[in-house]
Amino acid sequence: MTTSKIEINLTNSRKEKPNEENLVFGRHFTDHMFVADYVKGMGWQNARITPYAPISLDPASIVFHYGQTVFEGLKAYRSKDQSIRLFRPEENFRRLNQSLDRLCMPQIDEANALEGLLELLKVEEEWIPKLEGNSLYIRPFVIATEAFLGVAPATTYQFYIILSPVGSYYEEGIHPVKILVENEFVRAVKGGTGGAKTAGNYASALKAQETASSQGYSQVMWLDGVERKYVEEVGSMNIFFKIDGEVVTPAINGSILEGITRKSIIELLAHWGTPVTERKVSMDELAEAHNSGKLEEVFGTGTAAVISPVGELNWNGKTMRINDGITGALSKKLYDALTKIQTGENEDSLNWITSLSPTYEEIK
Ligand SMILES: *Cc1c(COP(=O)(O)O)cnc(C)c1O
């Protein structure tokens, strides 16, 4: 986006809003979307807000064949004073640029992208759920639109932001999940695209996810692609362990997606005076810690669930129950602290929130 002027074209047929009591994740979309076009040599242009509608693309568009596409995920919350709050949105646009770079796609202007998002939120303000725990999920993404079957970076792209009202991840409060440690398939290897939020990573994960679901597990835990020994992450979450009082998480190694929730937990714990150790964590270490009663808590972190406690890990047919299958004290404390900052119940002491007042002035 070379210019920050955003053209706004409003729909004259607003959709009926879904019932907030039973919102399913990612099923409902709002009335408008943000779009910008990129042409090589000319940069980003035509930033606009238009009615939400199907996209018309040439069947030869590179995105369909070679997967040149990246995305982001974040949420807007409505606080009790009716202001609209975004959690660290600049981090998402920064990461979008990292993903774009990995896929040989053009960089976006992060400030203009955030401005586009804020404009879109003003237009769609009524879609931000009011029920406690609900939020508006924000999905920015970029696709390669050039019609060309040669394997090369496209010369034309589109950047979209779409919005979806979503329910709380936990219908009856935070509760632990069961996770299967994946031994057959791998998600990513060093040098691959694991550190980017790009479609191919998720398509290639479906097979393992399908098996895990059919066995009653909610997600898979990925191991490193070389030795199948060290923990990487879980589904679309990063993972933390509390072992004998110490909080540890796998270090960023080029194949793990660097979560913003992960980063926030590390910063929050440092702020509280309990630093997190970022290092390699092997399954052998976890099994040993479990055997000796030292594996105190396990939890995943990501935008969707914020904190997802793990009550059971299955590795090679053996089950490790963690904290008797109930939510640990640290997991609960972190969940409460983060969600209260997000919704404005607690002070934003680490300066993470960008907010729009109900009269739409940016008040950060
Ligand atoms: C998005 C994502 C995460 C979590 O990132 P957040 O920024 O915390 O939402 C973790 N792992 C994968 C594979 C992801 O796609």
Side-chain angles (χ1 to χ4, degrees):
M1 287 139 279
T2 46
T3 161
S4 68
K5 209 179 136 306
I6 300 164
E7 194 182 304
I8 298 179
N9 169 21
L10 299 180
T11 180
N12 42 30
S13 62
R14 296 242 173 192
K15 295 173 203 165
E16 200 177 310
K17 309 239 178 352
N19 181 351
E20 271 202 42
E21 301 283 343
N22 47 19
L23 285 175
V24 180
F25 180 86
R27 281 278 176 217
H28 304 278
F29 301 96
T30 68
D31 292 312
H32 300 88
M33 58 188 182
F34 175 86
V35 194
D37 305 321
Y38 177 91
V39 178
K40 193 177 174 181
M42 295 166 75
W44 288 100
Q45 50 195 306
N46 302 334
R48 59 200 185 272
I49 289 168
T50 65
Y52 186 96
I55 301 172
S56 175
L57 286 177
D58 193 295
S61 294
I62 287 176
V63 60
F64 298 136
H65 304 275
Y66 309 124
Q68 231 195 339
T69 176
V70 301
F71 67 92
E72 268 305 322
L74 67 160
K75 285 175 171 175
Y77 305 84
R78 188 188 290 280
S79 69
K80 290 222 167 71
D81 66 8
Q82 296 302 310
S83 66
I84 301 161
R85 297 168 69 88
L86 292 171
F87 185 70
R88 313 189 82 175
E90 59 288 336
E91 292 286 337
N92 291 91
F93 291 119
R94 194 175 59 83
R95 186 172 64 188
L96 184 64
N97 265 340
Q98 289 171 357
S99 298
L100 286 166
D101 180 61
R102 180 64 184 81
L103 275 284
C104 288
M105 299 167 74
Q107 297 285 290
I108 53 148
D109 182 305
E110 295 169 26
N112 286 354
L114 180 56
E115 190 191 326
L117 170 58
L118 294 177
E119 284 304 314
L120 181 62
L121 288 173
K122 288 177 196 172
V123 170
E124 302 292 60
E125 191 268 333
E126 279 176 29
W127 280 93
I128 302 174
K130 298 184 176 68
L131 206 65
E132 194 180 327
N134 291 0
S135 57
L136 189 67
Y137 184 77
I138 300 164
R139 171 53 62 89
F141 64 102
V142 184
I143 53 174
T145 55
E146 186 187 358
F148 179 51
L149 293 183
V151 181
T155 56
T156 60
Y157 297 86
Q158 282 188 314
F159 173 41
Y160 287 88
I161 304 176
I162 57 173
L163 307 172
S164 173
V166 297
S168 170
Y169 194 81
Y170 302 102
E171 273 156 36
E172 288 137 20
I174 179 171
H175 68 84
V177 295
K178 288 167 64 178
I179 284 181
L180 184 65
V181 181
E182 178 60 43
N183 283 317
E184 186 186 352
F185 298 108
V186 298
R187 175 183 176 274
V189 291
K190 200 169 293 182
T193 57
K197 256 180 138 68
T198 184
N201 293 342
Y202 304 84
S204 65
L206 294 174
K207 202 82 194 166
Q209 179 64 43
E210 197 173 65
T211 310
S213 303
S214 72
Q215 296 175 17
Y217 295 91
S218 71
Q219 303 241 357
V220 299
M221 188 157 97
W222 299 107
L223 301 182
D224 76 278
V226 178
E227 296 179 78
R228 316 280 176 101
K229 221 175 131 174
Y230 298 100
V231 176
E232 296 248 315
E233 57 181 308
V234 169
S236 49
M237 293 190 293
N238 296 111
I239 188 92
F240 286 71
F241 306 94
K242 187 168 170 234
I243 305 171
D244 200 17
E246 185 190 22
V247 184
V248 300
T249 191
I252 297 302
N253 59 0
S255 53
I256 294 173
L257 196 288
E258 197 169 354
I260 294 160
T261 319
R262 174 188 182 278
K263 177 177 172 166
S264 304
I265 297 287
I266 292 171
E267 290 173 16
L268 194 58
L269 282 171
H271 185 68
W272 290 348
T274 40
V276 173
T277 310
E278 296 177 68
R279 60 165 168 84
K280 284 187 170 186
V281 182
S282 72
M283 279 313 301
D284 287 331
E285 177 188 356
L286 293 180
E288 217 175 283
H290 182 260
N291 279 342
S292 57
K294 290 177 177 165
L295 185 57
E296 294 159 3
E297 290 188 41
V298 179
F299 57 91
T301 67
T303 295
V306 186
I307 300 282
S308 183
V310 176
E312 192 180 310
L313 277 177
N314 184 299
W315 183 43
N316 289 334
K318 278 185 239 120
T319 292
M320 299 181 224
R321 252 172 96 74
I322 295 135
N323 197 36
D324 285 330
I326 59 170
T327 300
L330 179 67
S331 308
K332 181 77 173 80
K333 187 177 171 194
L334 286 167
Y335 178 78
D336 288 343
L338 270 190
T339 53
K340 283 178 179 173
I341 292 171
Q342 288 166 339
T343 57
E345 254 182 273
N346 279 5
E347 199 195 329
D348 173 27
S349 47
L350 290 157
N351 202 21
W352 282 341
I353 301 296
T354 292
S355 56
L356 287 170
S357 76
T359 53
Y360 301 145
E361 264 166 76
E362 200 183 336
I363 51 180
K364 181 159 187 167

